[in-house]
Amino acid sequence: MNVATVIINIFALGCLIFAFIKDRTKAKMALVIALKSFIRVLPTVVAIVIFIGLLLGFVPKSTISNIIGEQAGFKGILVVAVLGAVLHIPSLISFPLASSLLKSGASVTAVAVFITTLTMIGVVTLPLEIRELGKRIAILRNGMSFVIAIVIGLIMGMIL
Amino acid sequence: MKEQLRNVEMQDLVFLGFILIVATVLLSIFPDRREVVITTSWEFFVEMISILPAVMVLIGIFAVFVPKDLVVRYLGRDAGIKGIFLAIIMGALPTGPLYIAFPIASALLKKGARISNVIVFLSAWSCIKLPQELVELEFLGLKFMLARLSLTVVFVTIMGLAIERMVAKWNDCEC
C-alpha cells in the first residue's frame, strides 16, 4: 500500500467520524449514498480494469508510444483530445486508465490532454448544455476547453 | 432524469459484458497472455478498490451535509478574484456529474451572475472534484496532480473572462 492510499483512507475516515459526531442520522444517510454510488460505479471499474489488462497485455509499448508517445507529434495529441471529448467515462475511472497509458509509453502531454478533454468536454451532454445555457455559451465553452486542454497538456509535457 | 440514470447503468452493464466477451475470446486464443493480463488487471483492481470506498464515503458526506442551494446562494454576486475563487471552491465540492451542474449554472445566469464566474464554476465542477483529485493523486502522483490543477485553474479563469467579453460584445452588436 502506498502513502497516497493511506492518506486518502485516513482523510475519509476522519470526515466520517466528524460526520457521526455532528449528526448521526445524516451520517448514516451519507453511508447509504456512498454504498449506492459504489455499486453504481463498480461495473465500470471492473470493465476498465479488464480493459487496462488487455491493453497492457496485448498492445506493444512501441505501438502506443508511436501513436501517443513523445515522438508522435501533434497528430497524436489531437487524436487523444478528440477521443477524450467524445468518450463518456467518469473522471474517477479516467485516472487509472491514464496511468496505464503512461506506463505503456504515452507522453505526459497526451495523458494530460486526454484527462482534461474527457472531464471538461461532453459531446454526449452537449444538447443538455445547449438547452440550459444557450447555444452560444455551450459551444464557446466546449470549443475553448478543447484548445486550453491542449495548451495545458503541452505545458505539462514541458515541465514534467 | 431517473430514466437517464437507468440508461447509464444499463450502458455500463452492456460495456462490462462486451469487455468480458472480448477478454474471454482473446485469452482463449492467446493463452500465453493470460498471466500478464490477469496480473495487470488484478493490480489495478486492488489499487482502485483500496481507495474507492473512501472516495464514495466523501461523496456521500458532502451530498448530505452541503445544502443544495449553497451554490446559488453564494455564487455570482462577487466579481473579480473573490468571485473566481468562490466559483472554483463551489465547483470542486463533490456533487455529482456535469449534467447536474447545467441547471444550476442556468439558474445562476438567470439570477444575474457573471458569465465568467459561471464558466469557471462549470469547469471546476467538471475537472477539479475533491474526491476525484484523491484518485488522481493515487494513480498519477502529487506532481502530476498539482501541475494539472494549477494550470487548469489559470486557463479556466482566462477562458471564463474571454467568454464573458465575447458574449458582451455580441450583445452590444445586436442592440
Side-chain angles (χ1 to χ4, degrees):
Chain A
M1 232 187 229
N2 60 37
V3 186
T5 319
V6 177
I7 294 174
I8 292 163
N9 279 288
I10 290 175
F11 179 60
L13 195 68
C15 288
L16 190 62
I17 291 170
F18 182 71
F20 264 100
I21 293 170
K22 245 195 138 191
D23 190 332
R24 269 189 94 84
T25 23
K26 271 190 170 180
K28 274 181 195 158
M29 263 163 69
L31 280 182
V32 172
I33 292 175
L35 187 69
K36 275 187 189 160
S37 3
F38 182 71
I39 291 170
R40 186 174 301 154
V41 82
L42 207 55
T44 320
V45 168
V46 175
I48 285 290
V49 155
I50 297 173
F51 177 78
I52 290 174
L54 293 174
L55 182 76
L56 297 187
F58 279 95
V59 185
K61 261 191 176 182
S62 55
T63 311
I64 293 182
S65 71
N66 271 340
I67 305 171
I68 49 173
E70 300 290 351
Q71 273 81 42
F74 200 67
K75 224 179 177 179
I77 295 170
L78 268 182
V79 170
V80 280
V82 172
L83 219 58
V86 176
L87 288 179
H88 197 62
I89 309 173
S91 53
L92 209 66
I93 315 287
S94 74
F95 296 119
L97 187 62
S99 127
S100 76
L101 286 173
L102 264 184
K103 273 181 196 156
S104 55
S107 67
V108 171
T109 302
V111 167
V113 169
F114 179 65
I115 293 175
T116 312
T117 55
L118 192 64
T119 47
M120 287 189 25
I121 303 173
V123 171
V124 182
T125 50
L126 191 60
L128 190 68
E129 187 172 352
I130 290 176
R131 195 170 356 121
E132 293 285 352
L133 302 175
K135 223 179 226 166
R136 203 178 273 170
I137 291 183
I139 289 174
L140 270 180
R141 194 191 73 81
N142 282 280
M144 285 182 77
S145 296
F146 192 82
V147 177
I148 67 167
I150 292 175
V151 176
I152 289 173
L154 288 174
I155 298 178
M156 284 193 63
M158 279 188 275
I159 59 177
L160 288 183
Chain B
M1 201 60 131
K2 254 205 173 135
E3 202 150 278
Q4 253 177 354
L5 284 178
R6 202 157 293 151
N7 285 338
V8 169
E9 280 172 61
M10 205 49 223
Q11 276 172 21
D12 292 350
L13 288 178
V14 171
F15 181 52
L16 176 60
F18 173 73
I19 290 275
L20 277 175
I21 292 169
V22 171
T24 319
V25 171
L26 277 177
L27 292 183
S28 49
I29 302 174
F30 305 95
D32 58 313
R33 298 291 167 86
R34 256 178 229 172
E35 208 189 306
V36 55
V37 170
I38 290 172
T39 348
T40 313
S41 295
W42 180 247
E43 275 168 12
F44 270 92
F45 183 71
V46 169
E47 204 168 347
M48 269 313 256
I49 224 70
S50 61
I51 54 167
L52 263 188
V55 170
M56 293 310 167
V57 163
L58 286 175
I59 290 177
I61 289 175
F62 275 93
V64 173
F65 281 91
V66 178
K68 285 231 160 59
D69 60 340
L70 182 83
V71 178
V72 184
R73 229 190 304 157
Y74 287 104
L75 198 65
R77 277 170 288 185
D78 299 296
I81 292 178
K82 197 182 169 200
I84 300 283
F85 180 73
L86 269 179
I88 289 172
I89 298 293
M90 298 283 179
L93 293 176
T95 17
L98 188 59
Y99 57 77
I100 297 180
F102 294 139
I104 300 177
S106 159
L108 283 170
L109 284 177
K110 278 184 196 125
K111 228 186 70 179
R114 290 190 54 162
I115 292 175
S116 55
N117 288 355
V118 175
I119 297 284
V120 171
F121 165 71
L122 274 179
S123 310
W125 182 299
S126 61
C127 63
I128 329 186
K129 284 260 158 280
L130 194 68
Q132 270 83 335
E133 282 322 300
L134 297 179
V135 183
E136 180 167 12
L137 174 69
E138 167 88 24
F139 281 96
L140 296 167
L142 188 63
K143 247 193 194 158
F144 188 100
M145 182 192 103
L146 286 181
R148 198 184 68 86
L149 272 190
S150 33
L151 286 170
T152 304
V153 168
V154 171
F155 281 102
V156 151
T157 308
I158 296 174
M159 174 171 83
L161 293 170
I163 291 181
E164 184 174 274
R165 276 259 166 98
M166 280 189 238
V167 171
K169 229 173 223 171
W170 269 321
N171 286 347
D172 283 349
C173 293
E174 274 163 26
C175 285

